[in-house]
């Protein structure tokens, strides 16, 4: 099973110490995390885009390119690329370039994002929310398909100029980009990813470990019905969490609380509290915080519900200190991963 | 109140028609099936397009057209994204008991200036479907929590949910529906009172027992600050 980390270059002022962090420092932090994640044998390092004051990453590919240059084995990918407000041709070129730079370690995860700042910024109309995504994901996959077959592409749509017998360069390694679709759990999104034949990753942001069990089942059923090899398509989970030898839940809480307070205020939700946090930090809850054993158990429990292939954690909510994030990455690679591998090997042998 | 409202209808002979097959629609469908209701569910297009989704996400519910869902339902549940409220069919909903579970969320719905003119988002919806006998409820609980927090009547940790309507029969029907889903149903008064549990209020996504919810509803009525409209980012 693949394990990894992802983040957005969080530059919140540390709610515990009050310390500020510069965007420049955070970029260095991100690269340090990528190097460590690679060293300890994790499988995936992702960054996602925001276009807000509290996050430093709005442009994903340069960060991943730097990470790729400083690592050897780990896959580098987006988490996520807000495709609705991008040109799929440019996105494909950028990730193809990243794939060449990294020796085939690039991945692209397309989504719509849970914020909408990129819409006015790039001239997209929120009224076209569905149509934008439909058209752009279809074009992106068509570009990849044309690349795989080493063919040109002729295409026309509503949101970008038509392509007339165009060949897109450069081509990625083996003429193929690994493309995932990210979803927050709208059933139609699982069905769409399945019909398109891409991998899918679910944003399990709180809730419980079985929140997406039905979605994974739906994804495989739709994929099979659409004629894809459902077993060959991957299912992933992205979640929040922190691993520590002791005190992980206490360390993580003020940062989780601070981030969720802000989001709750913006969206009109009631603010979280320690009780709701503890419920999600409990063994069946959707926050992956605890000792290596506890986090391994929880990922395995999630796997029983979803049969997923990849589990990635966002650890730096609201500027969790770099030392805690690094320790967590180290434990995820050196302790959580071996525990999970051993358990799965034992099950496979039984 | 709960004992009285439980007598209002029998789930086994009551049909729920859900418009919207997203997170909320399929979540409500699962709970309604568990409670013994007959459940029809419709998205905007051909029911065939959602039949596999429904068979996995809400086994037991039947995928139908929106017209069928409205025609056959004793209670129609609205769970489409709020900005699509104009796609609701006023003629199909005329005279029907209708439950509005929708909320304004800027990151999905975009700016909706017409909301400013309405006391609550349900009033705005009602203006589009004036013939519907409209109630508002289930909008202030997360769709996952519908499953996680449901408890049998009398359970000490049973969560309470508010119901508002201007129609007495609809109110009773929805109070009973909410009770059967596994929650203490609290009468929140007229439809305009739904502003007390819209986004930005303490009740919205907050968890309360019956006395706690009643106290919050009273506090909102006493304050009537219009705080529920404040959805702009606070920083």
């Amino acid at each position: 099973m693949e394990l990894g980390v992802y983040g957005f270059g969080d530059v919140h002022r540390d709610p515990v110490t009050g310390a500020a962090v510069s965007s420049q420092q955070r970029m260095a932090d991100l690269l340090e995390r990528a190097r460590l994640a690679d060293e300890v044998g994790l499988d995936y390092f992702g960054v996602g885009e925001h276009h807000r004051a509290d996050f430093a990453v709005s442009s994903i590919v340069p960060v991943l390119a730097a990470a790729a240059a400083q690592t050897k084995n780990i896959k580098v990918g987006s988490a996520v690329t807000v495709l609705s407000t991008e040109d799929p041709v440019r996105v494909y070129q950028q990730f193809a370039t990243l794939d060449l730079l990294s020796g085939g370690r690039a991945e692209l995860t397309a989504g719509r994002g849970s914020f909408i700042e990129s819409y006015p910024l790039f001239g997209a109309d929120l009224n076209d929310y569905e149509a934008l995504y439909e058209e752009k994901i279809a074009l992106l996959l068509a570009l990849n398909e044309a690349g795989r077959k080493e063919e040109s592409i002729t295409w026309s749509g509503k949101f970008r100029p038509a392509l007339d017998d165009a060949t897109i360069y450069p081509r990625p390694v083996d003429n193929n980009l690994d493309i995932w679709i990210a979803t927050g759990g709208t059933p139609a999104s699982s069905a769409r990813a399945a019909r398109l034949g891409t991998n899918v990753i679910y944003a399990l942001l709180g809730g419980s470990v079985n929140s997406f069990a039905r979605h994974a089942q739906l994804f495989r059923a739709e994929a099979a019905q659409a004629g894809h090899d459902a077993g060959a398509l991957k299912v992933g989970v992205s979640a929040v969490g922190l691993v520590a030898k002791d005190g992980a839940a206490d360390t993580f809480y003020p940062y989780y609380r601070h981030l969720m307070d802000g989001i709750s205020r913006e969206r009109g939700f009631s603010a979280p509290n320690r009780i709701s946090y503890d419920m999600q930090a409990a063994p069946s809850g959707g926050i992956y915080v605890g000792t290596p054993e506890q986090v391994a158990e929880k990922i395995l429990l999630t796997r029983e519900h979803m049969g997923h292939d990849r589990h990635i954690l966002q650890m730096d909510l609201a500027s969790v200190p770099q030392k805690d994030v690094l320790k967590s990455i180290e434990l995820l690679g050196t302790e959580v991963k071996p525990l999970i591998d051993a358990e799965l090997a034992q099950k496979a042998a039984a | 109140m709960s004992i009285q409202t439980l007598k209002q209808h029998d789930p086994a002979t009551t049909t729920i028609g859900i418009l919207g097959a997203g997170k909320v629609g399929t979540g409500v469908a699962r709970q309604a099936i568990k409670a013994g209701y007959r459940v029809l569910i419709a998205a905007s297009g051909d029911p065939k397009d959602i039949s596999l989704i429904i068979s996995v996400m809400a086994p037991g519910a039947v995928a139908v057209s929106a017209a069928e869902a409205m025609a056959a339902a004793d209670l129609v549940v609205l769970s489409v994204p709020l900005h699509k409220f104009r796609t609701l069919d006023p003629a199909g909903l005329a005279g029907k008991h209708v439950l509005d579970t929708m909320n304004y969320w800027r990151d999905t719905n975009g700016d909706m200036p017409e909301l400013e003119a309405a006391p609550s988002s349900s009033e705005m919806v009602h203006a589009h479907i004036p013939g519907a006998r409209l109630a508002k409820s289930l909008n202030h609980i997360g769709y996952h929590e519908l499953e996680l927090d449901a408890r049998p009547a009398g359970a000490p940790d049973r969560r309470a949910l508010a119901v508002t309507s201007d129609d007495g029969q609809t109110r009773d029907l929805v109070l009973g529906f909410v009770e059967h889903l596994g929650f203490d149903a609290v009468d929140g008064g007229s439809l305009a009172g739904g502003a007390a549990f819209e986004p930005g209020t303490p009740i919205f996504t907050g968890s309360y027992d019956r006395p706690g919810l009643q106290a919050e509803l009273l506090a909102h009525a006493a304050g009537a600050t219009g705080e529920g409209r404040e959805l702009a980012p606070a920083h």
Side-chain angles (χ1 to χ4, degrees):
Chain A
M1 181 169 194
E2 294 186 344
L3 294 183
V5 292
Y6 74 102
F8 302 95
D10 195 306
V11 287
H12 283 84
R13 183 178 287 273
D14 186 316
V16 177
T17 65
V21 60
S22 69
S23 294
Q24 190 180 358
Q25 179 60 48
R26 192 55 92 214
M27 290 297 173
D29 292 345
L30 280 172
L31 296 180
E32 188 179 25
R33 294 172 202 172
R35 291 192 299 271
L36 179 61
D38 189 43
E39 272 169 40
V40 299
L42 290 178
D43 303 284
Y44 185 77
F45 176 78
V47 292
E49 64 175 277
H50 280 308
H51 303 265
R52 302 162 51 99
D54 40 3
F55 298 98
V57 180
S58 67
S59 183
I60 291 171
V61 174
V63 181
L64 294 178
Q70 298 180 23
T71 55
K72 291 189 175 65
N73 299 310
I74 197 165
K75 291 173 188 168
V76 290
S78 48
V80 305
T81 295
V82 181
L83 190 64
S84 305
T85 52
E86 292 273 10
D87 174 4
V89 176
R90 290 297 284 166
V91 168
Y92 182 82
Q93 289 178 323
Q94 288 163 355
F95 279 82
T97 306
L98 178 67
D99 205 45
L100 295 170
L101 278 170
S102 64
R105 290 186 279 136
E107 291 189 359
L108 198 175
T109 302
R112 293 185 276 197
S114 71
F115 294 102
I116 52 173
E117 279 78 7
S118 66
Y119 283 77
L121 209 50
F122 300 112
D125 185 342
L126 204 57
N127 287 320
D128 296 323
Y129 191 79
E130 280 292 329
L132 276 167
Y133 192 67
E134 287 280 352
E135 175 172 314
K136 296 196 176 205
I137 190 71
L139 174 55
L140 180 71
L141 294 173
L143 292 170
N144 200 29
E145 184 64 21
R148 257 200 298 264
K149 294 177 179 166
E150 301 188 53
E151 288 174 355
S152 62
I153 182 168
T154 295
W155 175 94
S156 67
K158 187 177 165 194
F159 299 108
R160 82 170 309 287
L163 298 168
D164 181 17
D165 198 21
T167 306
I168 311 301
Y169 300 106
R171 292 212 172 101
V173 175
D174 297 331
N175 289 329
N176 181 57
L177 265 184
D178 282 327
I179 296 177
W180 296 61
I181 285 179
T183 165
T186 300
S189 295
S190 286
R192 168 167 44 212
R195 283 195 301 273
L196 292 171
T198 72
N199 301 323
V200 69
I201 184 159
Y202 294 101
L204 200 163
L205 303 178
S208 62
V209 293
N210 66 354
S211 294
F212 288 99
R214 287 188 192 87
H215 297 76
Q217 195 188 336
L218 171 63
F219 173 73
R220 295 191 179 99
E222 286 272 4
Q225 195 178 66
H228 299 295
D229 178 0
L233 296 177
K234 289 183 189 166
V235 174
V237 166
S238 60
V240 301
L242 191 76
V243 193
K245 284 288 189 185
D246 45 35
D250 289 337
T251 302
F252 199 52
Y253 176 64
Y255 299 95
Y256 172 85
R257 171 80 194 243
H258 184 77
L259 190 78
M260 295 310 290
D261 269 347
I263 293 175
S264 298
R265 247 195 329 270
E266 288 181 25
R267 300 189 176 178
F269 296 170
S270 64
N273 56 33
R274 185 68 199 229
I275 296 169
S276 62
Y277 172 78
D278 283 343
M279 285 170 68
Q280 295 179 84
S284 65
I287 298 177
Y288 294 75
V289 63
T291 63
E293 292 76 16
Q294 288 169 329
V295 172
E297 283 292 331
K298 189 176 276 202
I299 292 173
L300 285 164
L301 185 60
T302 312
R303 197 171 192 274
E304 280 178 30
H305 289 292
M306 296 180 65
H308 65 313
D309 309 283
R310 170 183 291 182
H311 200 103
I312 62 175
L313 290 181
Q314 183 189 355
M315 300 166 168
D316 70 340
L317 303 188
S319 295
V320 172
Q322 177 75 347
K323 68 174 172 47
D324 295 313
V325 173
L326 292 176
K327 192 69 198 168
S328 179
I329 289 171
E330 183 192 333
L331 291 170
L332 193 64
T334 59
E335 299 204 16
V336 176
K337 190 171 166 68
L339 283 168
I340 289 174
D341 286 347
E343 179 72 18
L344 294 178
Q346 200 177 357
K347 274 198 183 136
Chain B
M1 183 200 290
S2 63
I3 292 166
Q4 190 193 348
T5 54
L6 279 171
K7 287 180 184 163
Q8 294 296 326
H9 66 274
D10 175 4
T13 57
T14 303
T15 297
I16 307 297
I18 299 173
L19 302 184
K23 299 176 188 180
V24 176
T26 55
V28 172
R30 278 196 297 276
Q31 287 311 107
I33 286 162
K34 218 179 278 179
Y37 291 97
R38 175 177 175 239
V39 177
L40 310 176
I41 188 163
S44 52
D46 188 331
K48 280 206 282 292
D49 295 344
I50 59 163
S51 60
L52 185 53
I53 288 177
I54 298 310
S55 72
V56 176
M57 298 301 296
V62 181
V64 298
S65 68
E68 276 177 274
M70 289 185 286
D74 299 300
L75 176 64
V76 180
V77 177
L78 307 180
S79 59
V80 300
L82 184 61
H83 62 274
K84 293 188 178 166
F85 77 96
R86 284 206 181 81
T87 64
L88 297 168
D89 172 19
L93 292 168
K96 304 294 294 191
H97 299 294
V98 177
L99 169 55
D100 174 16
T101 71
M102 304 182 292
N103 286 301
Y104 175 62
W105 186 30
R106 183 178 165 271
D107 282 6
T108 302
N109 305 132
D111 292 324
M112 297 183 76
E114 58 270 64
L115 253 181
E116 296 299 327
S120 76
S121 65
S122 290
E123 314 281 310
M124 178 187 75
V125 173
H126 204 196
H128 175 69
I129 49 170
R133 305 168 73 178
L134 195 64
K136 181 185 188 77
S137 190
L138 302 187
N139 67 303
H140 61 99
I141 178 170
Y143 67 100
H144 284 313
E145 295 164 350
L146 270 182
E147 185 166 14
L148 293 172
D149 292 355
R151 300 284 185 277
D157 59 343
R158 201 175 198 229
R159 185 167 168 179
L161 298 177
V163 176
T164 56
S165 181
D166 294 334
D167 183 301
Q169 280 185 329
T170 306
R171 178 197 319 279
D172 286 345
L173 180 62
V174 174
L175 285 168
F177 180 60
V178 170
E179 290 277 349
H180 281 293
L181 293 191
F183 300 89
D184 286 340
V186 172
D187 185 350
S190 66
L191 196 62
F197 48 94
E198 291 193 338
T201 64
I203 298 174
F204 186 75
T205 73
S207 189
Y208 297 91
D209 61 8
R210 183 190 294 276
L213 181 56
Q214 283 165 336
E216 282 293 340
L217 288 168
L218 285 172
H220 187 275
T225 57
E227 190 187 7
R229 270 292 114 72
E230 296 294 330
L231 276 180
H235 58 82

